[in-house]
């Protein structure tokens, strides 16, 4: 990947066979939203609907994420949404270490193209991969971290909110904090 461009990234991703997830994929799921966004949301990996459509967060978790963004006045014009792995883990299992490692350079490449100010990790997998391997989502969500000039935060994954209603309130507070940080950074 010599020249940094979306076309180069897409070409590399669409032909990628760096881990076994390529064997069962319908589509590679790269991302959606504004390519000049200040806020980058990172999920875990495509689910069934995402694999079929080639777009992240289009299933039930995605619909909830849309609502949460909307509730704090954010949209895909302000945000870009990607995942730790770009191909669906079978049966929606957690992505394995070798799969995450194989895919991470694509996310780094996306980061360089987008240059967001804020990175939001959705759930444990994203937070332990991006912020800290020992990250405890229940204890450390909602806290800001600064790394390499990025403001980083983790919140619950929308799928966790669908399973446990009591997590909705703290997740919504995190969204408000993200909105507030964005407002501060915009000046
Ligand atoms: N869950 C994720 O982590 N990512 C998606 O794209 C969809 C569901």
């Amino acid at each position: 990947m010599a020249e940094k461009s979306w076309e180069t990234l897409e070409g590399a991703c669409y032909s990628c066979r760096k881990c076994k997830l390529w064997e069962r994929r319908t589509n590679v799921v790269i991302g959606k939203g504004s390519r000049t966004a200040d806020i980058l949301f990172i999920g875990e990996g495509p689910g069934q609907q995402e694999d079929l459509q080639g777009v992240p967060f289009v299933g039930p978790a995605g619909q909830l994420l849309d609502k949460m963004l909307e509730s704090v006045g954010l949209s895909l014009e302000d945000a870009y949404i990607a995942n730790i792995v770009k191909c669906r883990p079978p049966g929606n299992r957690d992505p394995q270490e070798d799969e995450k490692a194989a895919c991470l350079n694509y996310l780094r490449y996306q980061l360089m193209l987008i240059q967001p100010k804020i990175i939001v990790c959705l759930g444990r997998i994203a937070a332990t991969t991006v912020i800290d391997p020992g990250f405890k989502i229940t204890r450390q969500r909602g806290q800001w971290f600064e790394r390499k000039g990025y403001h980083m935060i983790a919140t619950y994954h929308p799928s966790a909110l669908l399973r446990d209603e009591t997590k909705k309130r703290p997740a919504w507070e995190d969204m408000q904090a993200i909105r507030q940080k964005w407002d501060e950074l915009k000046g």
Side-chain angles (χ1 to χ4, degrees):
M1 288 198 274
E3 196 191 323
K4 294 251 179 309
S5 73
W6 283 97
E7 291 70 30
T8 309
L9 174 73
E10 285 166 358
C13 289
Y14 292 143
S15 60
C16 184
R17 293 185 174 192
K18 285 191 190 169
C19 81
K20 58 193 170 301
L21 294 181
W22 77 268
E23 291 171 14
R24 296 216 226 166
R25 73 178 171 225
T26 314
N27 284 293
V28 180
V29 178
I30 296 182
K32 70 176 177 185
S34 165
R35 292 176 169 188
T36 55
D38 284 339
I39 312 175
L40 170 64
F41 286 84
I42 305 176
E44 187 175 320
Q48 185 182 33
Q49 282 306 314
E50 290 76 19
D51 173 65
L52 290 173
Q53 297 182 40
V55 182
F57 284 99
V58 288
Q63 284 157 21
L64 180 56
L65 181 60
D66 289 346
K67 276 194 208 152
M68 296 195 66
L69 291 176
E70 204 183 305
S71 76
V72 294
L74 292 173
S75 74
L76 289 183
E77 286 176 24
D78 319 303
Y80 188 91
I81 305 181
N83 281 308
I84 293 292
V85 293
K86 293 182 167 31
C87 298
R88 185 189 182 203
N92 296 349
R93 65 159 168 72
D94 288 355
Q96 295 168 349
E97 288 308 318
D98 62 317
E99 296 160 355
K100 290 190 282 183
C103 218
L104 216 48
N105 269 343
Y106 298 134
L107 189 60
R108 292 195 181 102
Y109 196 100
Q110 273 173 306
L111 199 56
M112 283 187 276
L113 288 169
I114 300 167
Q115 300 192 315
K117 295 184 169 76
I118 297 171
I119 298 175
V120 182
C121 294
L122 297 170
R124 175 181 57 87
I125 299 286
T128 54
T129 309
V130 173
I131 303 177
D132 175 358
F135 198 92
K136 296 280 175 276
I137 195 80
T138 311
R139 207 161 354 114
Q140 292 176 288
R141 53 141 278 279
Q143 293 178 25
W144 287 101
F145 300 83
E146 260 189 76
R147 200 82 55 77
K148 295 184 184 165
Y150 299 111
H151 299 268
M152 299 187 180
I153 192 170
T155 188
Y156 290 122
H157 192 287
S159 300
L161 309 181
L162 291 172
R163 287 191 300 266
D164 180 358
E165 287 267 321
T166 66
K167 292 193 164 92
K168 279 191 177 169
R169 175 92 210 170
W172 183 67
E173 286 168 3
D174 295 342
M175 279 294 173
Q176 286 182 310
I178 292 158
R179 169 74 214 215
Q180 197 179 340
K181 177 69 81 180
W182 187 50
D183 288 340
E184 281 166 27
L185 294 173
K186 277 197 300 181

